[in-house]
Amino acid sequence: AQTVTQSQPEMSVQEAETVTLSCTYDTSESDYYLFWYKQPPSRQMILVIRQEAYKQQNATENRFSVNFQKAAKSFSLKISDSQLGDAAMYFCAYRGFNNDMRFGAGTRLTVKP
Amino acid sequence: EAGVTQFPSHSVIEKGQTVTLRCDPISGHDNLYWYRRVMGKEIKFLLHFVKESKQDESGMPNNRFLAERTGGTYSTLKVQPAELEDSGVYFCASSQDSRTTQYFGPGTRLLVL
């Protein structure tokens, strides 16, 4: 079974600085998708970024980028120029052949002004 | 366009009672998913509907949980009778097809006393 591990329960970053959230996963599949979702306090979960495993190029969405290392089964999220609105719980997720999502336990990110 | 909505946002019930959670997916989305996050742990898949049919219900914890999606529109998840360990946040997500991005609702926080 696929598992997703987020080893950092909490992280904090100074406003305008850069932070990297870690995620590793375990799978025997070769074709899959990886996601980072963000859940601000008392608000719904939204998609931050997604990566197709067959693409070697790392996905980027404005200040958010990933470092996808397929061989190492690692999928970290880098947030550049952190803003107060980035404070949230971040979930790493895997979706494989059977299409249901596997999530990590989440990393709570605090942004200090 | 309206996103995924869930009702109620919060529910507090006593052990042994029944609770019904509702999810309204994004209009036109055939795929509907239920997930659950127990306190501090990862978000876990419960089941997946394609229209009104259950595509995958491998994540349903036991027969106290019943999910329906009559007519292929909104879905309900009933817990009867509720137990203390059922407490958590229940998320619903929908997608246009099984390979596209899942959009999440805000979740229902269930507390069983």
Side-chain angles (χ1 to χ4, degrees):
Chain A
Q2 299 83 15
T3 57
V4 178
T5 302
Q6 291 179 251
S7 59
Q8 306 152 318
E10 296 186 356
M11 290 283 283
S12 77
V13 63
Q14 204 70 36
E15 192 176 7
E17 297 292 309
T18 295
V19 65
T20 298
L21 309 184
S22 301
C23 174
T24 58
Y25 58 94
D26 185 27
T27 185
S28 58
E29 297 177 323
S30 58
D31 186 19
Y32 49 87
Y33 294 82
L34 296 164
F35 305 83
W36 278 99
Y37 281 88
K38 165 187 175 182
Q39 187 181 27
S42 301
R43 294 177 61 185
Q44 67 193 85
M45 200 150 56
I46 57 174
L47 178 68
V48 175
I49 201 165
R50 70 179 249 167
Q51 174 85 41
E52 291 90 344
Y54 65 86
K55 289 187 178 178
Q56 292 189 331
Q57 187 173 8
N58 289 325
T60 299
E61 288 288 342
N62 301 313
R63 297 182 296 107
F64 297 87
S65 61
V66 298
N67 183 4
F68 174 46
Q69 301 288 329
K70 191 172 183 179
K73 296 178 183 173
S74 170
F75 183 62
S76 60
L77 175 70
K78 185 171 82 171
I79 307 173
S80 304
D81 185 25
S82 297
Q83 300 176 0
L84 296 178
D86 295 333
M89 182 71 86
Y90 286 80
F91 294 98
C92 177
Y94 168 103
R95 193 180 78 203
F97 178 76
N98 63 2
N99 290 317
D100 57 289
M101 304 272 277
R102 308 289 179 188
F103 288 85
T107 296
R108 184 173 300 281
L109 178 67
T110 303
V111 182
K112 298 178 180 178
Chain B
E1 180 182 341
V4 177
T5 58
Q6 292 186 245
F7 181 83
S9 58
H10 295 77
S11 180
V12 181
I13 61 173
E14 292 188 352
K15 176 182 171 182
Q17 290 186 321
T18 297
V19 63
T20 300
L21 313 180
R22 172 171 169 146
C23 168
D24 286 77
I26 293 172
S27 178
H29 281 194
D30 286 340
N31 291 263
L32 187 149
Y33 307 81
W34 283 100
Y35 296 88
R36 175 173 75 169
R37 185 177 190 225
V38 173
M39 181 67 74
K41 298 195 175 180
E42 69 272 20
I43 299 169
K44 286 197 171 180
F45 166 81
L46 295 178
L47 87 159
H48 170 203
F49 282 101
V50 177
K51 297 185 180 178
E52 67 273 14
S53 299
K54 292 176 185 175
Q55 181 78 7
D56 181 356
E57 53 184 326
S58 61
M60 294 287 264
N62 51 61
N63 59 10
R64 296 185 294 103
F65 288 75
L66 175 64
E68 294 180 322
R69 193 183 182 197
T70 307
T73 54
Y74 71 90
S75 175
T76 57
L77 179 65
K78 183 163 73 174
V79 185
Q80 178 183 33
E83 297 289 344
L84 300 179
E85 63 265 25
D86 300 333
S87 296
V89 182
Y90 289 77
F91 292 100
C92 174
S94 73
S95 65
Q96 201 155 31
D97 62 61
S98 59
R99 300 296 280 178
T100 54
T101 297
Q102 295 180 22
Y103 295 90
F104 281 77
T108 294
R109 293 184 181 278
L110 174 65
L111 179 60
V112 182
L113 301 176

